[in-house]
Amino acid sequence: MYLKNRILYIIIFILVGASCSAQKLQLKILQFNIWQEGTIVPDGYNAIVDQICESGADFITLSEVRNYKDTRFCDRIVQSLKEKGHTFYSFLSYDTGLLSRYPIIDSTTVFPCIDDHGSVYRALIDMDGQEVALYTAHLDYLNCTYYDIRGYSGSSWKPRKPLTDMDSIMMNNVESKRDNGIQAFLEYANQDKSKGRIILLGGDFNEPSFLDWTKETMDLFDHNGLVVPWTVSTMLYANGYVDAYRELYPDPVTHPGFTYPMDNPLVEVKKLTWAPEADERERIDFIYYLPYKGLELKNVVIWGSDGSICRSERIKEHTLDAFHISGNNWPSDHKAVLATFSLKRK
């Protein structure tokens, strides 16, 4: 009897030790277009701070950082979050920005913002001994070809004849610097991949995904009967990156996941639309990740509201999308995206 009990204790000890050695860490990333640092919406800056606090995100990728009046937005937002009881790390950037709850080891300008043609930045982060390469992208807003398809110029936003010839669509699209920004990201991220780091990318791409312009959606959302292989998303998928929202919700009909234009009740409709007579709704805010051993995507939500602008009307989305409807003021004309991962490690 003594021997049996001793063997049982040994087995329990081994099992407990094994469970302790394999730990799971939760991490959240928020992609957040903050619409000119919240300056367009009344009390928008404080709304940005409140939304970050409410999200519980560990990493935040920000679009439309401007450093107005010679201020450093990174310093202001870190201090404001500290006053709310949240410690974050950041660094000076322009156009895009980064926040991390974990210490930043190094920061890099991967694709600098020149003449407002977009930017990409990188932070190397020490997440309790695990290195994370976090990238933030705000890609070129010009030659925004999904507007040309809908009957508006994607550079001047003046009405035009809808562009439906596929060769012309693709030629117009690649005249932007969006592909250049993503190519710079891919080349730099290959170094992180070779060093065994987790790679995360958040951004406002100003371009749809090929996963959303499919045969099933060709006659919806003013797609004008087109299936378009949008280049930024095809480049990322060709290099093994995964679109977090589409990974959990692969059907673009039941889960279109629109992030723009959002119905912000604090702003006039005419300030929320660039194509007033079209259905311009798109999913242009993304979180991508490179598959990594032990990293598991657990949840993704559209953070902000279930309201959109369509043909200059405020509408509610009656889709199966996963929304988190915040009760606080909203600072932007974009909805945000929040992805939750777990990391199993020994």
Side-chain angles (χ1 to χ4, degrees):
M1 188 69 175
Y2 170 78
L3 181 60
K4 287 183 179 180
N5 286 340
R6 187 175 182 183
I7 293 172
L8 180 61
Y9 291 144
I10 292 172
I11 293 172
I12 292 173
F13 177 79
I14 292 172
L15 291 175
V16 170
S19 66
C20 291
S21 64
Q23 300 175 339
K24 275 197 174 182
L25 178 68
Q26 178 179 274
L27 60 109
K28 292 184 177 182
I29 174 173
L30 179 73
Q31 158 53 28
F32 198 179
N33 181 307
I34 55 174
W35 204 10
Q36 314 300 347
E37 297 184 3
T39 59
I40 311 299
V41 178
D43 203 30
Y45 175 79
N46 288 324
I48 294 169
V49 174
D50 289 342
Q51 291 297 333
I52 291 173
C53 293
E54 184 179 334
S55 73
D58 303 291
F59 306 124
I60 299 99
T61 53
L62 301 169
S63 306
E64 301 195 18
V65 170
R66 302 304 185 199
N67 300 318
Y68 288 123
K69 298 180 180 179
D70 295 323
T71 62
R72 292 167 57 107
F73 181 80
C74 58
D75 294 343
R76 286 199 295 132
I77 195 75
V78 165
Q79 180 59 34
S80 297
L81 289 163
K82 184 178 181 180
E83 291 169 3
K84 296 275 189 176
H86 298 269
T87 298
F88 278 92
Y89 303 88
S90 188
F91 58 90
L92 181 63
S93 61
Y94 178 78
D95 188 49
T96 50
L98 282 169
L99 292 167
S100 170
R101 288 189 190 270
Y102 296 91
I104 294 175
I105 305 169
D106 187 27
S107 61
T108 311
T109 303
V110 176
F111 188 74
C113 187
I114 300 174
D115 297 329
D116 209 14
H117 284 294
S119 62
V120 181
Y121 289 86
R122 164 188 176 270
L124 181 59
I125 296 164
D126 179 1
M127 188 178 68
D128 292 344
Q130 169 68 59
E131 289 191 343
V132 176
L134 176 64
Y135 289 80
T136 180
H138 184 212
L139 302 183
D140 193 357
Y141 78 101
L142 295 172
N143 294 99
C144 201
T145 312
Y146 72 88
Y147 276 99
D148 293 272
I149 293 171
R150 291 178 164 104
Y152 288 82
S153 166
S155 291
S156 71
W157 284 269
K158 294 179 179 179
R160 58 153 295 168
K161 181 180 178 181
L163 184 64
T164 57
D165 174 71
M166 189 59 66
D167 288 341
S168 298
I169 288 169
M170 300 313 296
M171 186 180 301
N172 185 73
N173 190 62
V174 299
E175 286 181 5
S176 80
K177 301 295 184 182
R178 291 187 290 274
D179 292 0
N180 306 68
I182 287 302
Q183 185 59 43
F185 156 74
L186 290 170
E187 291 173 3
Y188 211 101
N190 275 337
Q191 302 175 43
D192 292 313
K193 181 181 177 181
S194 68
K195 294 178 181 178
R197 295 165 177 157
I198 292 173
I199 302 173
L200 303 171
L201 167 66
D204 170 4
F205 288 178
N206 281 311
E207 182 176 305
S209 169
F210 77 93
L211 296 172
D212 297 345
W213 283 60
T214 66
K215 290 181 179 179
E216 291 73 25
T217 64
M218 63 189 301
D219 296 317
L220 301 174
F221 319 129
D222 282 1
H223 287 193
N224 276 324
L226 295 172
V227 176
V228 182
W230 297 105
T231 53
V232 166
S233 52
T234 56
M235 289 170 68
L236 288 167
Y237 264 81
N239 283 272
Y241 288 86
V242 178
D243 176 339
Y245 197 79
R246 277 288 161 260
E247 181 69 7
L248 288 191
Y249 306 110
D251 189 338
V253 176
T254 60
H255 296 77
F258 300 131
T259 61
Y260 182 85
M262 175 181 173
D263 174 19
N264 189 323
L266 301 176
V267 181
E268 295 177 274
V269 169
K270 65 181 181 181
K271 293 183 179 180
L272 296 170
T273 177
W274 289 37
E277 295 182 11
D279 182 354
E280 64 191 299
R281 293 174 295 167
E282 281 294 347
R283 188 172 67 98
I284 57 174
D285 296 85
F286 298 92
I287 293 171
Y288 276 85
Y289 66 98
L290 192 66
Y292 185 91
K293 186 176 181 180
L295 184 68
E296 181 181 358
L297 177 64
K298 305 297 289 187
N299 187 39
V300 189
V301 297
I302 304 299
W303 185 273
S305 169
D306 60 355
S308 298
I309 302 298
C310 179
R311 306 188 202 282
S312 297
E313 297 289 336
R314 300 181 190 270
I315 67 169
K316 292 291 184 184
E317 298 292 354
H318 299 291
T319 65
L320 299 180
D321 287 302
F323 291 105
H324 172 90
I325 302 175
S326 174
N328 294 319
N329 285 351
W330 190 256
S332 183
D333 54 347
H334 285 242
K335 303 171 190 182
V337 184
L338 180 69
T340 303
F341 295 85
S342 67
L343 176 63
K344 184 178 180 180
R345 59 183 187 175
K346 292 186 177 180

